[in-house]
Amino acid sequence: MDSIFRDFAAAHNPATITDGRSPGYVLASTISPEPPEDEPARFYNFLQATDPSSILTDLKYKLQYNPHVQLEKKEAAAWMEVFTVFYKFVSFLVTAEEAQNSGRAKEADWSSVYDSWKDVSNALYKGYQSTVFAAWTIPCIYVAGKYLRVFAIKADENIASQRDSGLAFGGIQEEDAFNPDSKNEKLEDAARQINRIFGLCISDRNPIDESRKWALYYTANLLFKTYFRLNSIALSKNIMRSLRASAHDMPALYQFPKAHRVTFHYYTGVIYFLEEDYATAEENLTAAYELCLSPNVGGGATRKNLELILTYLIPTKLLTSHKLPSAALLSQYPRLASLFQPITTSIRTANLSAFTAAMEAGEEEFVKRRIYLTLERGRDIILRNLFRKVYLAGGFESVKDKDGNEEMARRTRIPVKEFAAALVMAGAEVGDGNGEGGVDGDEVECLIANAIYKNLMKGYIARERGIVVLSKAGAFPGTGV
Amino acid sequence: MSGASTGSTATTKATVSDSKDTTKPLQPQKAAQLEEDDEFEDFPVEDWAKEEEVGAQQGGTTTTTHLWEESWDDDDTTDDFSVQLKEELKKMEGQKK
């Protein structure tokens, strides 16, 4: 108990902080559900130092009559409330963790942990709502929101496992188990709580220097994370809309800490990606990538974040600029290499059957990450690359320019048959179904017409003569020929 | 689709799938764990210097040039596929004459 209030006092007397942390973070550490590294037994000590009958008196001495902490009366009262519910929370947490650690995971009562943490969060909320807590304390909001999510997820998992094993609620839960609404009961509640916190921050009318608006991106990120997990990604749009609507009276994004910015760019990038707004997705994902902490400094968690960013940036780049990740990029991320290398190679070598095989092999993973359909459009690029190879293989012929002078130019009249031959070689399914290696000419023309329609190739099909007439200038836009 | 025998098969089937159900709950849990793997992690620090950014460490503006490549092999017509393609086209030329 002493250490908690020693830190609490330090936060209110910044000059006494010796480890370089900002006062807000020191303060937030006093209500963090994770004990500090140098004091793993903090919560046991807290529970032992007092008991439910004397907690109020003890807290009074720590908060109201403490010579090291000069708080306004209202502020002291607000903290009294926070630490009273925090004490209850700690006893639930310690009990649940004990059950968890002694192999009785199913008995761990994470629901009560969640509910009591919600009380802590609400007590803080009230403190902010009545403008008793100043803006420098907002790391407390981060802690409140972060662990609402964490404990809600644990509680839902716990409820689900009890239900599965029939431990709880008897037989009547049979129907409920099939009700998808009840699966994430606590997490849905957490989303509502965090949304309230978001509202609390966005409605702050204090001058920017003393505003809770500095907590907005952190809170928005928590909501994105929660909505993604709940599979209600569309709700994220409301948050993005609110942020845009108050953009004029909040600090610019670049003024926020990079951890908040990178996460925000990642989630908005993915949201735009899922909406197939690839240009905006690329902007955000590129920003997230460039701005991200280097894994040389940040370690494993940071490397994983970069992998996630690239998981969406790679299909996006493929679509927006027909670019592929280089070997240099993939070699840094073995997991991404195994995910994307087969696709990348098949596109570069214009090998349709290898592409189909790679899509099939990776299907489950691609679908799970919601990138399957975007990657599938890589097929168009293979066809473009394939037709381009036919064009290049045609070589040069001598033509007369408009003044009648002879010059060498690439052959632009190419028989449909040559495209058909290339398609067959690349493993395209253009057979005529007779099983004798014949080719369905209509199918071939269809693929060519599609490529022309999608502006991957410029020209037209002269059907009666069975040739494709390609544009003399830039037949394959953006590829140098 | 008539007769008592069909009915009894259906019941057996139902029982079989029921007994399977007891093993199934493991799967959703597994899926949930995978989702967790997908989650963006908290950074170990809240802010960092410009030179600690990925973009800066990989050489700033040149990043895009060596990390991303065009999806085709320039004007290379000596790769296996192109060589084979040329042979194939030559063959076709021959058949025509």
Side-chain angles (χ1 to χ4, degrees), chain B residues 21-52:
Chain B
D21 270 354
T22 54
T23 59
K24 258 192 177 166
L26 287 171
Q27 271 167 339
Q29 259 183 327
K30 218 176 174 185
Q33 270 170 358
L34 281 172
E35 275 167 39
E36 204 165 349
D37 284 351
D38 269 3
E39 235 157 54
F40 212 73
E41 302 268 349
D42 285 344
F43 287 101
V45 287
E46 193 179 38
D47 220 343
W48 46 88
K50 174 102 192 139
E51 58 273 15
E52 288 173 329

Side-chain angles (χ1 to χ4, degrees), chain A residues 139-180:
Chain A
C140 295
I141 295 184
Y142 304 163
V143 171
K146 178 179 168 182
Y147 289 97
L148 276 172
R149 249 189 103 254
V150 170
F151 294 134
I153 290 168
K154 284 198 170 193
D156 285 336
E157 281 172 0
N158 195 224
I159 293 167
S161 76
Q162 287 180 346
R163 195 176 280 159
D164 292 343
S165 65
L167 201 96
F169 313 122
I172 46 154
Q173 292 304 312
E174 186 82 354
E175 276 169 45
D176 218 29
F178 290 97
N179 179 0

